[in-house]
Amino acid sequence: MINIGLIGFGNVGQGVYEILTQNTTLLTQRVGQPIRITKIAVRSPKKYQNLIPQDLLTTDVTDILTNPDIDIVVEVMGGETPALDYICTALNHKKYVVTANKEVVSKHKKTFFSLAKENGVDIYFEASVGGGIPIIRSLKVGLAANRIDHIAGILNGTTNYMLTKIEAEQQPFDIILKKAQDAGFAEADPTMDVDGIDAAHKLVILAAVAFKADVQLDDIYHEGIRHIELADIQHADALGYKIKLLALGHRETETQLSLRVHPTLIPKVHLLANINNEFNAAYISGNAVGEVLLSGKGAGGSPTGSAVVSDIIDIAFDISQKMNRRNLETELHQVTVSPITKTSNQYYIRLQATDTPQILEKITHELSQASISIQTLSQPTPQDGTAEIIIITHQSTEGNFNATIKKINDLDNISVINTIRVGLGRKIDLIRY
Amino acid sequence: MINIGLIGFGNVGQGVYEILTQNTTLLTQRVGQPIRITKIAVRSPKKYQNLIPQDLLTTDVTDILTNPDIDIVVEVMGGETPALDYICTALNHKKYVVTANKEVVSKHKKTFFSLAKENGVDIYFEASVGGGIPIIRSLKVGLAANRIDHIAGILNGTTNYMLTKIEAEQQPFDIILKKAQDAGFAEADPTMDVDGIDAAHKLVILAAVAFKADVQLDDIYHEGIRHIELADIQHADALGYKIKLLALGHRETETQLSLRVHPTLIPKVHLLANINNEFNAAYISGNAVGEVLLSGKGAGGSPTGSAVVSDIIDIAFDISQKMNRRNLETELHQVTVSPITKTSNQYYIRLQATDTPQILEKITHELSQASISIQTLSQPTPQDGTAEIIIITHQSTEGNFNATIKKINDLDNISVINTIRVGLGRKIDLIRY
């Protein structure tokens, strides 16, 4: 019998409970012994009195954390505190920990890994990135032969849902945000999602797993989707691109990474461009396997519960055999993260200009002076004497590009409305899908 | 030190060797000790004298199979015999086995699993399905919480490459086959690939892993792509579909499966329709996670080597800890596979008819008599008095459909040119991508 203590009983906790209840026979066969939820710590037991047997519930988390009968502590409450304390206490009591909490793992991974090692146990966190998609397991095991070189992820379901809907319904950001909030796909305060912070936390975790990098949220440039207008999505579409909020990780050298979260134009022929609605995806490039794409639902009680319970099963094997397999691999290294200004990208530029014959000449002059060449330039029919010009450039470093855009914006009769990065980074532009 | 004995040194064997050589430092860190190729058994050592140190080579496979210094036997020679013998001998000598050999695993999985269990070791075969994509690992570990309900796979790179090229180059099957053979993407005798046998072997393996089913190749209906004409691909495209060779596995009840390999029309909006060229993919539906898609290169020395070496790493952990984790899970069950005539599908029908006013009436009469309703019917402009009619039906059982098609074909002035199944099977028609 493997005994589980659950901390938190919201969406994910209930998903875990349902999977363990519904798939009992199958899971017992798989593990070789039953998995049982022994205790669930919640703040208000009454809230759940029609959902589960009341004797499972406790308001005292030490009933779980220091309970010698409990083998695995499953933390699904979310947030940094008190989850940090709970996880540390559990590890110090030699309990395996499974968590779905991206924030606490992103911030305190190093502490957790070393506590786990000291105590001969481990912490599993598949559910913290990409919901039910086995991204972390694939990086650690299924693709273990590889040096991972690149990661490009759609890791935030809310923004992917919104970008899909802005295009499908041809309505602007604000209206779609309101609808997403009403439908439960976005929170009342959408900052974490729409400003790219949620995706950046997940990228911190993937950087630890894929690159063994010890980085923090502040090391990662992150830009959200608030400035993406319907017009940009329409122009991108006309040029053969979709706009997605990507979390990008490139291994530049052994100790230097590029890590960033920002909206990106992706050619429609790439699979990532076809990941829609609340689906997530991770595109991984390894030096042996080449390109791999993993996709599935990135949120929700049942998909996230799938990841939590799969972690539990993996640990259950270890416990059955009284051993620990994986925490050899958890040593993190100091790395340098390239500043965004040093990265090289293609760019989409949307300009408005009074329609004079010299405009294009002035713009192309500035780009040419900065050695930024133009891949495509299109100019839809001008209205009211104001022309909209859409340019997609070839590669430039971001610093050079920004300085040039400032110069163009300072020209008379021209204003730069928006700029968005294009492609998955220079090293993986060769798209085979 | 983990000692590897390699049997075979073709494409995959060389891929394994290169990965172990190139990623030595990284792999040693990951495993906690070095992995070394100790012996390579080949028929003609001279062939490889410029590739590897000659003292690694042996022509006597017992140098590996019964060598007490060897921990893991890696079988990458392919084919049923003598691989079967070699694997059994290795397992009986308590060696872990990693194989990339779909044929021998498909045919003898049950023997291997029980020998492995008896001897306290295990057999790993990630590389036998989907090259470097961690499909089997995901089913066994990352998605372990789930009852797997459906699998739809593009598991044969040759046919996927050919179908992509037929469309891209607008040339018929025979010319594209010749080109694929010249380019090394198809073999001189392409039977295994183009007739769906290779994909069926892989489906046998996936059925064992996902459904714990003990089935054989003969239990699986398989139909290849020889009868797919350029015209079918064009008509499908016009109607919003791509044609792919799919391996389909549906869990109908606890003991009844539908397992089949055949060309299938897939709506372009589905990710599987966007898996092109030599890429493979597995679309998996589990009762907790919902839908997951895994994609990557399904063949080639390096991607397949990635899977082999990832298996080696997984085993290396077990060996370091002197234990065995996974062979609890290898018990297979007897199941019934539904005959193809009992399955229910949508169908694409291409007919040629002399252009008389009564033709459509006669066809729709026959369909209506059989309770097969029509989803779309299109009739491109007739040429030379001969009309081509394209119909996509709603669901029908295959037996009913076949009988009806026979009746239609027996009508005067009508001939049925081709029929192809549509969609992923009735239970997963709700496509969210």
Side-chain angles (χ1 to χ4, degrees):
Chain A
M1 174 80 73
I2 304 289
N3 289 294
I4 308 290
L6 206 58
I7 305 179
F9 200 64
N11 208 5
V12 177
Q14 290 174 36
V16 170
Y17 181 82
E18 275 162 32
I19 294 167
L20 289 174
T21 310
Q22 196 181 339
N23 291 353
T24 305
T25 313
L26 176 156
L27 298 181
T28 304
Q29 280 169 3
R30 258 173 219 176
V31 176
Q33 56 183 310
I35 297 171
R36 183 181 66 173
I37 294 186
T38 307
K39 278 283 169 210
I40 304 174
V42 295
R43 283 205 201 86
S44 321
K46 279 206 173 150
K47 220 168 124 185
Y48 310 104
Q49 62 190 358
N50 299 321
L51 288 177
I52 41 169
Q54 289 293 294
D55 59 348
L56 281 181
L57 296 173
T58 176
T59 53
D60 182 2
V61 76
T62 59
D63 282 353
I64 289 172
L65 298 176
T66 63
N67 181 343
D69 291 338
I70 291 204
D71 304 297
I72 305 175
V73 173
V74 176
E75 184 274 303
V76 285
M77 64 191 305
E80 185 178 5
T81 51
L84 170 60
D85 270 354
Y86 293 171
I87 292 174
C88 291
T89 306
L91 292 171
N92 279 325
H93 282 80
K94 302 194 190 306
K95 295 187 190 313
Y96 281 79
V97 172
V98 176
T99 175
N101 185 333
K102 63 197 165 269
E103 187 179 351
V104 81
V105 175
S106 160
K107 289 182 178 165
H108 303 287
K109 55 198 174 301
K110 217 174 169 176
T111 307
F112 296 154
F113 294 166
S114 61
L115 277 185
K117 200 163 187 175
E118 266 174 54
N119 288 284
V121 288
D122 209 344
I123 176 166
Y124 282 59
F125 46 89
E126 180 68 77
S128 68
V129 181
I133 315 166
I135 299 176
I136 289 170
R137 193 62 41 79
S138 292
L139 287 166
K140 287 179 82 167
V141 191
L143 302 172
N146 292 265
R147 185 190 71 219
I148 302 299
D149 292 325
H150 309 288
I151 290 176
I154 296 174
L155 302 179
N156 180 268
T158 303
T159 47
N160 204 46
Y161 176 85
M162 287 182 61
L163 289 169
T164 305
K165 290 297 176 201
I166 290 171
E167 177 156 27
E169 303 187 3
Q170 296 282 304
Q171 288 189 310
F173 178 90
D174 289 339
I175 290 179
I176 294 296
L177 175 57
K178 179 73 174 56
K179 284 191 180 184
Q181 285 168 327
D182 292 344
F185 280 109
E187 301 197 34
D189 175 1
T191 308
M192 292 287 280
D193 294 317
V194 302
D195 292 333
I197 301 163
D198 173 82
H201 272 308
K202 291 167 180 168
L203 185 57
V204 168
I205 296 172
L206 289 187
V209 177
F211 305 121
K212 305 290 166 208
D214 181 23
V215 295
Q216 290 291 335
L217 191 68
D218 290 345
D219 297 323
I220 293 189
Y221 173 86
H222 52 93
E223 175 188 318
I225 65 164
R226 285 187 202 269
H227 66 97
I228 304 296
E229 296 179 17
L230 175 57
D232 296 311
I233 289 176
Q234 290 166 334
H235 289 307
D237 183 59
L239 292 165
Y241 295 90
K242 296 285 172 192
I243 300 179
K244 297 289 178 189
L245 182 66
L246 288 193
L248 290 166
H250 298 315
R251 184 183 171 285
E252 297 185 333
T253 70
E254 202 61 52
T255 55
Q256 175 117 7
L257 304 176
S258 168
L259 298 170
R260 47 216 173 96
V261 172
H262 54 66
T264 315
L265 274 72
I266 310 170
K268 286 180 195 173
V269 295
H270 197 280
L271 280 182
L272 280 176
N274 297 290
I275 306 297
N276 293 319
N277 296 309
E278 76 274 30
F279 278 80
N280 281 18
Y283 166 96
I284 298 163
S285 172
N287 75 336
V289 75
E291 301 154 284
V292 169
L293 184 118
L294 313 175
S295 177
K297 285 182 195 164
S302 191
T304 309
S306 167
V308 170
V309 175
S310 298
D311 277 351
I312 290 173
I313 293 170
D314 215 9
I315 294 169
F317 280 107
D318 289 359
I319 292 177
S320 310
Q321 313 269 351
K322 303 211 183 304
M323 56 81 66
N324 176 322
R325 294 167 82 237
R326 294 274 167 225
N327 69 18
L328 280 167
E329 303 173 81
T330 46
E331 198 163 320
L332 298 185
H333 307 297
Q334 295 304 318
V335 297
T336 311
V337 178
S338 303
I340 188 77
T341 51
K342 298 283 187 195
T343 64
S344 181
N345 298 283
Q346 289 186 264
Y347 298 89
Y348 156 101
I349 312 168
R350 177 156 65 102
L351 303 128
Q352 269 176 5
T354 313
D355 186 22
T356 71
Q358 293 78 28
I359 288 292
L360 275 187
E361 191 186 326
K362 287 182 188 169
I363 296 167
T364 52
H365 174 76
E366 291 297 344
L367 290 170
S368 154
Q369 285 289 305
S371 300
I372 301 170
S373 60
I374 293 173
Q375 179 177 298
T376 65
L377 184 151
S378 63
Q379 202 173 358
T381 318
Q383 297 180 330
D384 315 324
T386 303
E388 208 157 55
I389 300 166
I390 311 297
I391 295 170
I392 291 183
T393 72
H394 283 292
Q395 295 287 339
S396 161
T397 62
E398 180 128 340
N400 182 40
F401 176 78
N402 286 346
T404 310
I405 282 295
K406 186 169 182 315
K407 281 186 194 163
I408 291 173
N409 205 28
D410 287 346
L411 293 170
D412 288 341
N413 306 321
I414 296 177
S415 63
V416 176
I417 306 296
N418 217 342
T419 65
I420 310 175
R421 296 168 197 85
V422 177
L424 302 182
R426 64 187 151 175
K427 287 169 190 159
I428 44 175
D429 268 348
L430 179 67
I431 287 157
R432 305 287 305 279
Y433 281 106
Chain B
M1 175 79 73
I2 303 289
N3 289 294
I4 308 289
L6 207 58
I7 304 179
F9 202 62
N11 208 5
V12 178
Q14 290 174 37
V16 170
Y17 182 82
E18 275 161 32
I19 294 166
L20 288 174
T21 310
Q22 198 182 338
N23 291 353
T24 305
T25 312
L26 176 156
L27 297 182
T28 304
Q29 280 169 3
R30 258 172 220 179
V31 177
Q33 56 183 312
I35 297 171
R36 182 181 66 172
I37 293 185
T38 307
K39 277 285 169 211
I40 304 175
V42 295
R43 281 204 202 88
S44 322
K46 277 204 172 152
K47 218 167 124 186
Y48 310 104
Q49 64 191 354
N50 298 320
L51 287 177
I52 41 169
Q54 289 292 294
D55 59 349
L56 281 182
L57 295 173
T58 176
T59 54
D60 181 2
V61 76
T62 59
D63 282 354
I64 289 172
L65 298 176
T66 62
N67 181 341
D69 292 338
I70 290 203
D71 303 298
I72 305 175
V73 173
V74 176
E75 184 274 302
V76 285
M77 64 191 305
E80 184 177 5
T81 52
L84 170 60
D85 270 355
Y86 294 172
I87 293 175
C88 290
T89 306
L91 292 171
N92 279 324
H93 282 80
K94 303 195 189 304
K95 296 190 188 311
Y96 281 79
V97 172
V98 176
T99 175
N101 186 334
K102 64 197 164 269
E103 188 180 351
V104 81
V105 175
S106 159
K107 290 183 179 165
H108 303 286
K109 54 198 176 302
K110 215 173 171 180
T111 307
F112 296 155
F113 293 165
S114 60
L115 276 185
K117 200 164 187 174
E118 266 173 55
N119 289 284
V121 289
D122 210 343
I123 177 166
Y124 283 60
F125 46 90
E126 179 70 74
S128 67
V129 181
I133 316 167
I135 299 176
I136 289 171
R137 194 60 43 79
S138 292
L139 287 167
K140 287 179 80 167
V141 191
L143 302 173
N146 292 264
R147 185 192 69 220
I148 302 299
D149 292 325
H150 309 287
I151 290 176
I154 295 174
L155 302 179
N156 180 267
T158 304
T159 47
N160 204 46
Y161 176 84
M162 287 181 61
L163 290 169
T164 305
K165 290 299 175 200
I166 291 170
E167 177 156 28
E169 303 186 5
Q170 295 283 303
Q171 288 189 312
F173 178 89
D174 290 339
I175 291 180
I176 294 297
L177 175 58
K178 180 75 176 54
K179 284 191 180 183
Q181 285 168 327
D182 292 346
F185 279 111
E187 301 197 34
D189 176 0
T191 308
M192 292 286 280
D193 294 318
V194 301
D195 292 333
I197 302 163
D198 174 84
H201 272 309
K202 291 167 179 168
L203 184 57
V204 168
I205 296 173
L206 289 187
V209 176
F211 305 120
K212 305 291 166 211
D214 181 22
V215 296
Q216 291 290 336
L217 190 69
D218 290 345
D219 297 324
I220 293 189
Y221 173 86
H222 52 91
E223 173 189 320
I225 66 165
R226 286 188 202 267
H227 66 97
I228 304 297
E229 297 179 19
L230 175 57
D232 295 313
I233 289 176
Q234 290 166 334
H235 289 308
D237 184 58
L239 292 165
Y241 294 91
K242 297 285 173 193
I243 299 178
K244 297 288 178 190
L245 182 66
L246 288 193
L248 291 167
H250 298 316
R251 185 183 170 286
E252 297 186 332
T253 69
E254 202 61 52
T255 55
Q256 175 117 6
L257 303 176
S258 168
L259 298 170
R260 46 213 174 101
V261 173
H262 55 67
T264 315
L265 273 73
I266 310 170
K268 286 181 194 173
V269 295
H270 197 280
L271 281 181
L272 281 175
N274 297 291
I275 306 298
N276 293 318
N277 296 308
E278 75 275 29
F279 278 80
N280 282 17
Y283 166 96
I284 297 163
S285 172
N287 75 338
V289 75
E291 300 153 287
V292 169
L293 184 119
L294 313 174
S295 176
K297 284 182 195 164
S302 191
T304 309
S306 167
V308 170
V309 175
S310 298
D311 277 351
I312 290 173
I313 293 170
D314 215 9
I315 294 169
F317 280 107
D318 288 358
I319 293 177
S320 310
Q321 313 268 349
K322 303 208 185 304
M323 56 78 68
N324 176 321
R325 292 168 82 239
R326 293 275 167 224
N327 67 19
L328 280 166
E329 302 175 81
T330 46
E331 198 163 323
L332 298 185
H333 306 298
Q334 296 304 319
V335 296
T336 310
V337 178
S338 303
I340 188 78
T341 51
K342 299 281 187 195
T343 64
S344 181
N345 298 284
Q346 289 186 265
Y347 298 89
Y348 157 101
I349 312 168
R350 178 156 64 101
L351 303 130
Q352 269 176 4
T354 313
D355 186 23
T356 70
Q358 293 80 26
I359 288 290
L360 274 187
E361 192 188 326
K362 287 181 190 169
I363 296 167
T364 52
H365 174 75
E366 291 298 343
L367 290 170
S368 154
Q369 285 290 304
S371 301
I372 300 170
S373 60
I374 293 174
Q375 179 177 299
T376 65
L377 185 151
S378 63
Q379 202 174 358
T381 317
Q383 296 179 332
D384 315 324
T386 302
E388 209 158 55
I389 300 166
I390 311 296
I391 295 170
I392 292 183
T393 72
H394 284 293
Q395 295 288 339
S396 160
T397 62
E398 181 128 338
N400 182 40
F401 176 77
N402 286 346
T404 310
I405 282 295
K406 187 167 180 317
K407 282 187 193 163
I408 291 173
N409 205 29
D410 286 347
L411 293 170
D412 288 341
N413 305 320
I414 296 176
S415 63
V416 176
I417 307 297
N418 217 343
T419 65
I420 310 175
R421 296 169 196 82
V422 177
L424 302 182
R426 65 187 152 172
K427 288 170 189 156
I428 45 175
D429 268 348
L430 179 66
I431 287 156
R432 305 286 304 279
Y433 280 105

